[in-house]
Every structure is written in structure tokens, then in C-alpha cells.
Amino acid sequence: MVFTEEKDAGQALKTIIQSQSSFKETPSIIGKYKGLDIFIRKTVFDEKYIGLRGESDFEVPLKISDKGNIQRLVKIVDGYSGEIDFFPLLLFHYSICFSITLVD
């Protein structure tokens, strides 16, 4: 299934979570978002987390708001686009710092 509305996606996420009571500390893949796996995991304290898995895992606490849960997942991805845009500037800054150090 593909969802275009955050509210609908959040309700589907809630249904999946409610239908499975056996989540463990090891993340369980429950879907995909922008090519990344969506997972859920439960801590030993019965706290649930949802997240995205690419080369690394990034997670946020599962809350009551269906739409809010989806928005938190979206922010994980959106946050990286800002970091990716900023990274070349950061590299440029460090290269200047490095060349100044070499001259001294």
C-alpha cells in the first residue's frame, strides 16, 4: 500500500503496531519510506520506537498522534537534506583551516 496523506499513513502504522504484540529490542521492518526501511522496536521498559534504516538506524519515540509519528519520520529524512547541503561548506572550511595550519 502507498499512502500520500500523513494521517492515513499514521493510522496504518498504528494498525500494524496494534496487530503485532511481539515486537522486540531487535528492530522489525514494517514498511518503506523513500527507499529506507521503516522499523519498530520495543525496549525492555516496553517503550516503542519507530525509525528508518539505511546504512544506519535513526529512530524516534512512538507517540499517541498518528500524524505526528509520520511527521517525525519525515523529519529524519528532511534533516539529512539540510546536512547534505551544508557538508560541502563544512569541508571547504576545514580545508582552509588545514592549509592555514600547514603554512604556520
Side-chain angles (χ1 to χ4, degrees):
M1 261 185 191
V2 175
F3 297 96
T4 57
E5 297 296 322
E6 292 173 345
K7 183 179 178 186
D8 296 337
Q11 288 172 344
L13 179 65
K14 180 194 247 177
T15 301
I16 291 169
I17 292 167
Q18 289 174 342
S19 70
Q20 299 234 355
S21 59
S22 62
F23 291 115
K24 301 175 183 163
E25 281 196 58
T26 305
S28 300
I29 307 300
I30 59 172
K32 286 208 172 278
Y33 176 69
K34 291 193 174 186
L36 302 170
D37 290 329
I38 300 171
F39 67 85
I40 183 164
R41 73 175 188 88
K42 184 169 64 169
T43 68
V44 294
F45 303 108
D46 205 34
E47 300 166 324
K48 291 183 179 90
Y49 288 83
I50 53 173
L52 298 174
R53 172 178 281 170
E55 290 189 24
S56 299
D57 290 351
F58 302 93
E59 62 185 25
V60 293
L62 184 69
K63 306 270 181 149
I64 295 172
S65 170
D66 297 339
K67 186 176 177 179
N69 288 324
I70 298 302
Q71 288 173 340
R72 282 191 294 287
L73 288 176
V74 169
K75 284 184 182 180
I76 291 172
V77 174
D78 289 348
Y80 279 102
S81 66
E83 286 184 28
I84 290 168
D85 292 341
F86 180 69
F87 191 69
L89 294 173
L90 189 62
L91 285 176
F92 179 71
H93 169 75
Y94 285 130
S95 68
I96 289 173
C97 292
F98 182 71
S99 63
I100 290 171
T101 305
L102 289 176
V103 173
D104 292 340

